[in-house]
Amino acid sequence: MRLRIHLLLCPLVLFLQGWINLRQPEPYMDELFHVPQAQAFCSWNWSYNENITTPPGAYLPVAMIGFAIKQINLEAGEWVCSTAGLRLWNMFLWIMLVELLIVRTKSEATAIALALHPVLLFYSTLFYTDLTSLLLCLAAWELSRAEKRGYSALVGAAATLTRQSSALWHFFIAAEAACFIAYNNPTVRSEFSFDCKSLLGVLQRQRRSIVMKLWPHIVAGVGYPIAALVNGGIMIGDQDRHEMVLHFPMVVYFAVYWVAFTTPLLGFLNRYRRWPRVPAVIPSLMSFLFLALLSAMWLYCCFYVHPFVLADNRHFVFYVYRVRFLDDKTGVPVDADVPNYFRGFVLQTQKILLRSSWSKYALVPFMALGSSCLLGDLQIDTFRIVQDLFPVVGAEDVPTVRRRRTAVRMFFILTLILVLVPSGLVEPRYFITPFIFGSLLALESADVAELFVKSAVAVSTIISGALLYIFLEMPFDRAPDAHMPNDLSPGRFMI
């Protein structure tokens, strides 16, 4: 254990927990479902709340600890399963995440920069299931890279028992392992100009070796659809309000989110210095135009508004989503239940942006820029992929890339699409796991200066502090949410 780092983090954890429990001692938002369910398990009550959509894996470890302590000391066991105790358990998992990130990045500063990611830290202070899922997914990934494939498959299955989307990240982990096996074969050249046919051809030729070495992952992969069939759907409960949809704009929303939060770490100059170079100018421009067209098509054909966006009045993103993308046809006042300190911004933005149903397309250039940065940071050559599909110039004009690295990162993009597209609800915490996975991949090939790491820590600390201050110190009166009419707690803005 890295004592110096933990001596620094423990006071931060205690401060955050004291602050939150002082201002909001009762469960808030989704904690209204998660906390009572964990407490029921602590009392050896195995009934399951039908409004909870995720499996019970996130509740079981702390419930078992709380139940065991109850046998020794009833009051101590009750505290472990209290709202404060469950939140502290989540922060303990956050410290374990820091430790795992240090092992992965070989850098304490980089690990802290990632762990202080504002959305991740915000939801780590509350008893949400996202952190448990992320921690187990990263542990499965690290075990896979250490070639402990049986343990990796077991931990990946445990991650899926916390959030269903972890099954797709388990797929990515297995796909990366397959690429490592296939491209480590001495008969495969180490470099090439990427195309999908050659990737599939290499994997097909090495299928026997892949199956023999990755059978634990294959067994888990077969079990996931069987479990979904037995359950009657992917969601455990509340299936009517959490239907799967084709929401392709989620991918470009993530791209904008990516460029916003990775710029301090990857560095503005480090990222964009490649744009003016020749002969990369034309490919970069064509890639940008292609991504802009794709973003506009997705907004046109697959734009979706989840009912929670119209019903909820406590998320920054939901307000921005209403203001930026929805027009008067929704029948919902954009400024309904907005606190005074946020009302002026909402009303002015409404006047400027809500001019027509086409206003959402004004964000297409930013979506294309975000997508270009995401693919560039992962060193995926969009132009090469377009060239394979629609030949425009000679392939010799495009630099070659390493096979295995490109294959792994293409699998990451595929997993990203599979995870985000079925989700109709635009909520930043759904971006946490893909953000951390993508950042770790990008950092493997990025030249990140110490200045950028320090700037990322500073920026994340400031943003996280601002989010928590608004959440805890600036409550507002509100009408009950339409989808949570029994929740009478004060309004507190969340990310």
Side-chain angles (χ1 to χ4, degrees), residues 54-296:
T54 52
Y59 316 126
L60 292 175
V62 66
M64 296 299 99
I65 293 172
F67 180 79
I69 294 176
K70 277 185 180 181
Q71 311 311 307
I72 303 170
N73 186 303
L74 181 61
E75 291 185 0
E78 293 287 351
W79 186 88
V80 169
C81 295
S82 67
T83 302
L86 293 171
R87 288 171 176 171
L88 186 61
W89 165 260
N90 239 31
M91 289 303 292
F92 169 73
L93 297 182
W94 181 76
I95 292 179
M96 292 181 63
L97 176 68
V98 174
E99 184 71 21
L100 186 58
L101 289 172
I102 292 174
V103 172
R104 179 58 181 271
T105 62
K106 306 296 189 295
S107 167
E108 295 177 353
T110 304
I112 292 175
L114 291 174
L116 287 176
H117 175 57
V119 182
L120 170 60
L121 181 61
F122 183 91
Y123 285 103
S124 297
T125 60
L126 303 171
F127 188 61
Y128 275 62
T129 61
D130 306 83
L131 177 60
T132 307
S133 171
L134 172 62
L135 179 63
L136 291 173
C137 285
L138 287 178
W141 196 11
E142 193 64 24
L143 288 168
S144 175
R145 289 203 165 185
E147 298 188 357
K148 298 178 180 179
R149 300 185 179 100
Y151 291 117
S152 174
L154 187 63
V155 176
T160 305
L161 289 175
T162 62
R163 293 188 71 85
Q164 295 92 325
S165 59
S166 299
L168 295 170
W169 293 110
H170 192 173
F171 159 77
F172 165 74
I173 292 166
E176 184 196 59
C179 291
F180 274 58
I181 294 169
Y183 289 117
N184 280 341
N185 190 293
T187 63
V188 178
R189 290 170 51 214
S190 62
E191 293 189 10
F192 82 132
S193 292
F194 179 81
D195 65 79
C196 296
K197 290 182 180 179
S198 102
L199 166 62
L200 296 176
V202 170
L203 295 177
Q204 193 274 337
R205 288 196 299 273
Q206 302 295 324
R207 63 186 183 279
R208 178 181 292 273
S209 177
I210 290 171
V211 170
M212 292 296 294
K213 293 181 179 180
L214 298 185
W215 67 265
H217 292 295
I218 295 172
V219 171
V222 171
Y224 295 148
I226 293 175
L229 288 173
V230 171
N231 181 61
I234 294 177
M235 300 300 173
I236 301 299
D238 201 16
Q239 295 189 14
D240 292 340
R241 293 192 292 185
H242 291 83
E243 296 178 337
M244 295 178 64
V245 296
L246 284 178
H247 193 196
F248 281 99
M250 280 289 284
V251 179
V252 288
Y253 298 158
F254 173 78
V256 175
Y257 177 96
W258 168 271
V259 74
F261 284 108
T262 56
T263 294
L265 182 58
L266 296 178
F268 185 85
L269 296 177
N270 190 52
R271 171 180 282 159
Y272 297 109
R273 66 186 179 187
R274 62 179 178 266
W275 278 61
R277 295 187 303 179
V278 178
V281 173
I282 294 177
S284 296
L285 178 60
M286 293 189 65
S287 299
F288 181 86
L289 294 176
F290 170 75
L291 293 169
L293 176 62
L294 188 63
S295 300

Side-chain angles (χ1 to χ4, degrees), residues 13 38 78 158 204 231 309 317 320 325 374 393 398 419 426 466 485 488:
V13 167
E78 293 287 351
Q204 193 274 337
N231 181 61
V309 174
V317 173
V320 172
F325 292 114
L374 173 61
V393 298
V398 183
V419 168
V426 183
L488 304 179

